[in-house]
Amino acid sequence: MPAFFGVVAAWFIPHGLQLVLFPWLLAVYLHLPPDLVGVGQSALQLPGLFLALLAGSLADRWDTRRLIIRLHLFAMVPPLCLAAVIWGGGFSFPVLLGYALVMGSILSFVNPTRDAMLAVVAQGNLQRIVTGTTGVQFGVQIIGYGIAMLAGVTGPAPLLLVQGVLVSAGAFLARRLPERPPRPVNDSPSSLVQEVVDGLRLALRSPSIAPVLLLSFCGSVLYLGSFFVLIPVLIRDVYHGGAREIGLTNIAFMAGTILMTVLMLRVGGIRRRGRAYMLANLWGAGFALLVISRSVPFGVMVLMLGVWGAAAGVGMSMSRTILQEHTPESHRARIFSIYQLCFMAGGPVGSVTMGYLVKLFGPVQAALLPPLGMAVVVTMVYRRTGLWHIDEPNEPAVSG
C-alpha cells in the first residue's frame, strides 16, 4: 500500500502543478481571450474522447505494473520539451496546444491503469482504500499548487523542469507494486474491438454502473468548464490576479476535499453511497457557483471553492466505490476507462461552451448556468434510475 500511495503522489504532485500552471499560461502569460482559454483547456481533455476505451482494454491485456512504469517515463518528456521551447524563445499558443494533446493522451492511459491496480492492493475494504487514495490524490496536489504559485517569480520553464523530474519518480516507485499479470487474450484487432464492446455492454446494462457514468458525464460538462475556464478568467478579469490567486483557489478546493476525506475515514465511510453521490453534485459546485455569481469578494470565492472541494471528495469516493464494488475483475480497467471517458468527454464540451458563455454574458453571470443544469440532471436520475437507493452492494458483479 505505501508503494501505491507513493505512485499516486508521484503523479498528482506534478499534476497539481500543471493544473495551476496550464491555465496561467493561457489566461495570464499568453493573455488569451476567454474563448481561446476554453479551446486550450479542451485540448488537454480531448484525447480522452478517442483513447479512453482503448486504454482500458490495453490495461486489462498488459502487465499493469510495467505499464504504469512506462507511462510515468513517457509523461516526463512533454514538460521537459516545453521548458526547452520556452527557454529557446519559440513559445506560442499552437505549441501549448501540442503539449496539451500529448499530455492528455498519456493521461488517458494513466487513470484506468492505476484504478485497475487499486483493486489488487486493496486486499479487502475497497471503500476505505478508495477514500484513502482520493485523500492522497487531492492532498499531494496542494504541493504542486504551491510550486506553481511561483510562476510569476520564476517564469514557467523552471517549473516545467520540476514537473518532469517529479513525474519520473513514479517509474521507480512503481517497481515495488504487486504484479497484476495480463489476461490471456486473442491479440487480433477484432478481439480488441470486441473487448471494448463487452465493456460498454456491461456498463450500459448495469443498473448500478450506468447512472454513475451518466452523472459523471453531466457533471464534467457543467462543472469542469466552470473550474478550468470560468475561475481563471474571473481571477484575471474581476479580481485582477495571477498564478498566486489561481493557486489559492486550487488549494482551497483541495483543502475541502482533504477535510471531507479525513472525516469519511474517521466515521468509517458512507453506507448510502448512491444518495451521497447524487447530493454531492448539488451542494458542492452548484451552491458554490450560485454564491460566486453574486460578485462576492475574493476571500468568499476561495471559501466557496473549499465547499466545492468537500463535495468533490464525497462524489469521487462514492462513484469509484460503487464502480469497484459492481464491476468484475475481468472488466475493471475497461469500466474505469469508460468512467474516465464520461468524465473527459464532457470536459472539452464544457470548456469550449463556458468560454463562449463567459465571452457572451461575462464571467459572473455565466456562473449561474451550471447549477441550474445540474438540478435538472439530478432530478432526472432520481426519477428514472435506482442510484438513490444504492448503499451496500446489492448487485453481484456481472461476469461479462
Side-chain angles (χ1 to χ4, degrees):
M1 187 58 65
F4 180 75
F5 285 153
V7 171
V8 172
W11 180 264
F12 281 101
I13 293 175
H15 183 65
L17 194 162
Q18 179 178 270
L19 282 177
V20 174
L21 187 61
F22 190 77
W24 178 81
L25 286 169
L26 290 167
V28 179
Y29 195 78
L30 292 175
H31 204 80
L32 298 172
D35 53 338
L36 289 186
V37 173
V39 170
Q41 289 285 19
S42 68
L44 199 57
Q45 304 151 14
L46 190 63
L49 299 181
F50 305 98
L51 297 176
L53 297 182
L54 173 65
S57 294
L58 292 178
D60 277 333
R61 285 169 166 248
W62 293 348
D63 183 319
T64 306
R65 182 175 62 183
R66 290 186 180 181
L67 185 55
I68 290 175
I69 292 172
R70 292 172 181 173
L71 288 169
H72 275 262
L73 292 176
F74 292 156
M76 172 184 64
V77 177
L80 297 183
C81 291
L82 186 58
V85 170
I86 292 174
W87 271 322
F91 184 60
S92 64
F93 182 50
V95 170
L96 191 57
L97 287 180
Y99 165 85
L101 291 171
V102 174
M103 284 302 293
S105 299
I106 297 171
L107 180 63
S108 300
F109 286 86
V110 168
N111 287 336
T113 303
R114 188 177 53 247
D115 280 321
M117 178 60 75
L118 187 149
V120 177
V121 302
Q123 299 178 352
N125 191 337
L126 265 175
Q127 183 181 173
R128 186 173 183 84
I129 299 305
V130 169
T131 303
T133 301
T134 302
V136 173
Q137 170 182 332
F138 286 108
V140 300
Q141 285 187 64
I142 293 179
I143 301 173
Y145 297 157
I147 297 171
M149 288 168 66
L150 298 172
V153 177
T154 66
L159 301 185
L160 289 164
L161 182 63
V162 171
Q163 179 183 333
V165 172
L166 288 174
V167 78
S168 68
F172 300 97
L173 293 169
R175 296 177 185 274
R176 301 174 57 190
L177 293 174
E179 290 187 356
R180 184 180 183 263
R183 294 182 296 107
V185 292
N186 183 343
D187 288 331
S188 68
S190 61
S191 173
L192 183 60
V193 171
Q194 185 58 47
E195 287 193 359
V196 171
V197 172
D198 287 344
L200 287 169
R201 184 181 297 120
L202 172 63
L204 295 176
R205 288 179 176 177
S206 169
S208 302
I209 296 174
V212 171
L213 299 179
L214 175 62
L215 261 184
S216 175
F217 173 76
C218 294
S220 69
V221 171
L222 294 167
Y223 292 152
L224 277 189
S226 300
F227 192 86
F228 290 132
V229 178
L230 176 67
I231 299 301
V233 173
L234 269 171
I235 288 171
R236 185 191 68 186
D237 295 347
V238 177
Y239 300 107
H240 309 293
R244 177 178 174 273
E245 287 73 19
I246 294 175
L248 286 174
T249 55
N250 279 270
I251 288 173
F253 183 93
M254 292 306 164
T257 303
I258 294 167
L259 289 174
M260 183 57 70
T261 301
V262 171
L263 178 61
M264 287 191 291
L265 288 171
R266 287 182 65 87
V267 302
I270 297 175
R271 188 172 69 86
R272 300 187 183 278
R273 291 122 155 79
R275 191 169 303 184
Y277 180 44
M278 292 175 65
L279 292 176
N281 280 279
L282 292 177
W283 67 262
F287 175 71
L289 288 169
L290 285 174
V291 173
I292 290 171
S293 70
R294 306 299 297 172
S295 300
V296 295
F298 180 72
V300 176
M301 190 184 81
V302 171
L303 179 63
M304 288 302 100
L305 265 293
V307 173
W308 188 342
V314 175
M316 180 170 288
S317 294
M318 292 304 100
S319 61
R320 293 173 68 190
T321 297
I322 292 169
L323 294 183
Q324 290 279 2
E325 290 175 338
H326 294 276
T327 302
E329 170 63 25
S330 60
H331 289 66
R332 184 159 279 119
R334 276 172 283 173
I335 292 300
F336 273 94
S337 70
I338 298 170
Y339 174 63
Q340 176 177 305
L341 175 62
C342 291
F343 187 76
M344 297 185 73
V349 177
S351 294
V352 172
T353 302
M354 183 54 70
Y356 282 102
L357 288 175
V358 169
K359 189 174 182 178
L360 185 62
F361 298 112
V364 175
Q365 289 77 15
L368 272 173
L369 303 176
L372 299 178
M374 182 52 71
V376 173
V377 171
V378 170
T379 301
M380 182 186 70
V381 170
Y382 174 77
R383 293 175 62 89
R384 295 183 176 273
T385 77
L387 180 60
W388 181 264
H389 303 289
I390 293 179
D391 38 75
E392 300 297 335
N394 57 7
E395 174 192 63
V398 184
S399 60

